[in-house]
Structures are given as C-alpha cells and as structure tokens.
Amino acid sequence: MPMSTRLIRTTLAGVTAVAAAATALSATPAAARTAHSDHAATRVAMDAAVAAGVPGVVAEVRDAHGVWRATSGVADLTTRQPRGTGDAFRTGSVTKSLVATVLLQLQAEGRLDLDATVDHYLPGLVRGNGHDGTKITVRQLMNHTSGVFNFTEDATFVRQILGIEFLKTRYDDWTPEQVIALALRNPPQFEPGTSWKYSNTNYLLLGLIIEKLTGRPYADEIERRVTRPLGMRATYFPGTDPHLPAPTRHYSTFTEDPGTTHDVTELNPSWAWAAGEMITNTSDLNRFYTALFTGRLLRPAQLRQMTDTVPTEGNLPSQRYGLGLIEYETTCGIKVWGHSGGIHGSSTQSFGTRDGRHMITLNFNGDWVGGGKKVVSAEFCPPEPPASPAAAD
C-alpha cells in the first residue's frame, strides 16, 4: 500500500510495448518448467512497466518449480547499471505485515487484547479534534477501521515531505509522537468501526503499543521474533539513517516540477517508522510471507484473525484488508495475500497464495508509474490460450 496516494499516480492501462532492456534470469532448468511456469507473462509485464517509464524492476517468484528471479531496466539512471536480483530497496507499507505479526504473537502470549482500547495501552495519547482513544480498539488500528486521520494527508506533511520541499527536508528527524500530533490536528476520517480508510497513523500507534508491552524498540522486537529466526539478512529498520545500500537508486517526480526526475534515494525515514521504514529485498520478503502463510510465525487462531478481512469501501479496488494483510483479487479472479508499499521513489508488491506455495515479490525504483498489481496478476493468471485458426480468420 502506498504511503501516499501521491506517490504512485498513473497506471499501466493500455501499455503493450515491451522494453528493450535486458532481463536477467535465474531459475530452475528449462526442462523442469512447463506451460505457465516459464513466467513469460510476468516478464512481459515487467518490461512493459519499464517501457511506461519505470527506471527498473526486480522480481522473485517461488513456486513448485523452484525460484525464478528476473530484472528489467536499470538500478541507476546515471551509470545505467542494470537492476540486480539481490538489490535492496525501501518497502514502505509492507512493513505493516511484520508489525502485525508481532502484535498477534503478543496476543497469543496473552500480553495483548486486540479488542482493548488504544487508551488502555497509550493513555491520553489519542485526543483532540474529535479523536478519542477510549473508543478505538487495537484491532481497528490494525485493519484501518479506526477513523484516525492519516498523517500523510496532513497539509503540512504533504508540503514538507511529499512535495518538492522534500529535497530540503529529506534529512530531518521525526519522532512518532511528532507525526501523530500532526495527524491529530485534523478531524477523524469517520467514527471508529463505521467505515474503512487507510491510515498510516494507525501503525505508528501500533509501534508504540509494541514498545509499551515489551519495553524494547519495535524494530528490535521484529528482529528478535521474525527477521533473525527466518534468516532475513537483507532486512533492517534504518531509523534516522538516510542511506540505502548500493547499487539501486530511487527516483521520484513532483507536481511542482513536472517532467523532472529527482534522485530521492537518500531520505531520513523516521517519519514512516512502524508504518513503512523497512529496507529489504525480494528474497527476504518471499521468505517472510512463505513462513507466515505456512504457520511458522503464528498459531492457527492468530493467522485466522490476520486473514479475517473487511471491505475497503472502494478505496482499494479488488482488495480487502485484514490485520496488516491485503487480500487482492487478480484480474482472473484468483485471490492472493500479502501487502504493497510505496515510499519516495520505490513501489513494492509482495503477494502469494494462502497456502504459501506460490509467492511473488517485485519492486519498481520509481514512483510515478503504477501497475505493480498488473505484474502480480500476470504471475498468477493462466496465460490465454492461442487463438484457433478459425478464430484467427
């Protein structure tokens, strides 16, 4: 899910051109792959994204045939270095799935009640302009039915962080409390439990709840409980560190300066915090979701709650939302699970089947062209059969 509706503004509708960019591939031997397992449609969709303007795309698929990795386009617009299959990138809101996993582990341990109020864990924090933490539950934060205002829609935040002023403020430090205060200057989106709207503020509050219950930084808890046990060596939470491991660069455009592409690789992600600061790669995300869906991280009761979805009220087409988890219906009707994420210059999709047997994670290193879900659908939807001679006539 994008950190802001501004970050990804167009789609790949109507794109049929295939980029000339080279595609790097490592997979099971060709003889072991049949029919749809060659991922040809996925490769075409990736190349089409590059043809539409995305600097580069990297993807990894895990299925019954093994592991398939591919790239298209470049990691760096200056050097023209191709994207690499192991490239690190900013994941934005995919972070939320890991936060939700830790919260559900705490519930299983009897340390967290999802139906208790936010005020029970964070007394007095959610107050002002109609917000009332005594009427909002932890579960409502997790599935975005809380009504708490989304800080990425606050006018000051939009100007300083999402607009071209970002080029001056990109290294500024933010605390979760400062960002939450920005959100609470605005009225609620709706009364708790009466509707649905995505709010990054919800996950800042959830990060604070993790810290309140454990006495440790939320990122340390994710590392202790999730990333280290799974061997997710490329995954970390940078805090205030603005750097991204080479070679991938992230690129963005701004409405105030149309037609100009800016390198936004360096940014202090402290404002995103538990809502979207994570850095990782495709392999680590596939490893995480496979472990999640196959029961390595959560007990059955907690995984059932995580996949208990609510409608998104038209805000996310073809999607429903669980607890830090999206159910996405592909263009051919197959339902897959995971999360999407966007942050300056980076757009990520990580989705798979509910049994964890088929996963795709992909990343665009540009935020002005949408269409990542088209790549997801290309992977899971059977290819159209060739036209019969009669039909061709």
Side-chain angles (χ1 to χ4, degrees), residues 3-44:
M3 294 297 299
S4 163
T5 55
R6 186 209 66 83
L7 289 178
I8 298 177
R9 294 185 289 273
T10 58
T11 70
L12 289 177
V15 173
T16 57
V18 176
T23 298
L25 169 66
S26 65
T28 51
R33 293 183 272 125
T34 59
H36 188 46
S37 66
D38 63 1
H39 311 283
T42 307
R43 194 190 324 246
V44 168

Side-chain angles (χ1 to χ4, degrees), residues 288-337:
F288 164 71
Y289 282 110
T290 299
L292 178 66
F293 296 141
T294 55
R296 291 182 58 191
L297 294 172
L298 293 177
R299 299 174 185 176
Q302 276 64 46
L303 191 53
R304 282 194 298 272
Q305 291 181 80
M306 196 177 200
T307 54
D308 182 14
T309 61
V310 295
T312 59
E313 308 292 342
N315 290 278
L316 296 179
S318 303
Q319 297 173 72
R320 294 174 62 90
Y321 206 90
L323 303 184
L325 203 62
I326 293 172
E327 178 192 49
Y328 168 59
E329 184 173 340
T330 62
T331 54
C332 61
I334 293 174
K335 293 180 180 179
V336 291
W337 298 81

Side-chain angles (χ1 to χ4, degrees), residues 5 8 18 36 39 43 47 52 60 116 151 159 163 198 208 220 252-253 258 299 312 330 335 345 353 358 364 367 378:
T5 55
I8 298 177
V18 176
H36 188 46
H39 311 283
R43 194 190 324 246
D47 289 342
E60 182 190 272
F151 71 80
R159 185 183 72 253
Y198 197 84
L208 291 176
D220 288 359
S252 188
T253 60
R299 299 174 185 176
T312 59
T330 62
K335 293 180 180 179
T353 53
H358 188 177
F364 293 177
D367 62 30

Side-chain angles (χ1 to χ4, degrees), residues 52-336:
V54 176
V57 185
V58 59
E60 182 190 272
V61 174
R62 297 187 181 198
D63 61 13
H65 301 276
V67 178
W68 178 86
R69 300 183 180 96
T71 68
S72 185
V74 299
D76 188 317
L77 287 172
T78 301
T79 67
R80 309 305 296 179
Q81 179 172 342
R83 288 214 71 172
T85 56
D87 286 356
F89 48 82
R90 300 189 190 278
T91 63
S93 288
V94 180
T95 307
K96 292 178 173 67
S97 289
L98 284 79
V99 170
T101 297
V102 169
L103 289 161
L104 286 163
Q105 289 179 348
L106 291 169
Q107 183 205 39
E109 294 164 9
R111 301 168 68 182
L112 174 66
D113 180 355
L114 298 191
D115 297 312
T117 67
V118 176
D119 206 68
H120 177 75
Y121 297 106
L122 304 173
L125 181 60
V126 181
R127 290 284 193 281
N129 292 311
H131 291 92
D132 185 351
T134 67
K135 298 179 179 179
I136 300 167
T137 68
V138 176
R139 191 184 305 273
Q140 288 168 341
L141 294 180
M142 294 179 73
N143 66 12
H144 298 295
T145 60
S146 70
V148 174
F149 189 85
N150 182 9
F151 71 80
T152 58
E153 297 179 19
D154 173 76
T156 298
F157 187 89
V158 169
R159 185 183 72 253
Q160 293 184 356
I161 304 298
L162 301 184
I164 201 166
E165 281 190 32
F166 162 82
L167 299 175
K168 298 178 180 179
T169 65
R170 62 165 74 192
Y171 300 109
D172 290 356
D173 287 347
W174 293 79
T175 67
E177 290 81 3
Q178 286 175 321
V179 181
I180 291 167
L182 274 184
L184 298 182
R185 299 190 312 181
N186 302 272
Q189 298 172 132
F190 48 80
E191 287 296 311
T194 64
S195 188
W196 188 94
K197 190 174 181 185
Y198 197 84
S199 176
N200 291 291
T201 315
N202 289 331
Y203 275 74
L204 299 188
L205 293 165
L206 290 168
L208 291 176
I209 289 173
I210 289 174
E211 296 192 344
K212 181 70 173 291
L213 293 176
T214 66
R216 287 183 286 268
Y218 93 94
D220 288 359
E221 277 300 292
I222 292 178
E223 180 182 1
R224 186 174 74 87
R225 293 168 174 269
V226 179
T227 62
R228 191 187 306 151
L230 294 181
M232 297 170 63
R233 296 181 179 86
T235 302
Y236 68 101
F237 301 83
T240 59
D241 183 351
H243 301 98
L244 181 71
T248 293
R249 311 297 295 177
H250 287 345
Y251 298 97
S252 188
T253 60
F254 297 98
T255 55
E256 302 96 325
D257 187 21
T260 302
T261 299
H262 296 271
D263 187 324
V264 294
T265 307
E266 291 192 3
L267 67 86
N268 179 336
S270 55
W271 54 266
W273 202 58
E277 71 166 303
M278 186 170 67
I279 292 173
T280 187
N281 65 11
T282 57
S283 293
D284 272 13
L285 286 184
N286 279 342
R287 185 176 293 112
F288 164 71
Y289 282 110
T290 299
L292 178 66
F293 296 141
T294 55
R296 291 182 58 191
L297 294 172
L298 293 177
R299 299 174 185 176
Q302 276 64 46
L303 191 53
R304 282 194 298 272
Q305 291 181 80
M306 196 177 200
T307 54
D308 182 14
T309 61
V310 295
T312 59
E313 308 292 342
N315 290 278
L316 296 179
S318 303
Q319 297 173 72
R320 294 174 62 90
Y321 206 90
L323 303 184
L325 203 62
I326 293 172
E327 178 192 49
Y328 168 59
E329 184 173 340
T330 62
T331 54
C332 61
I334 293 174
K335 293 180 180 179
V336 291

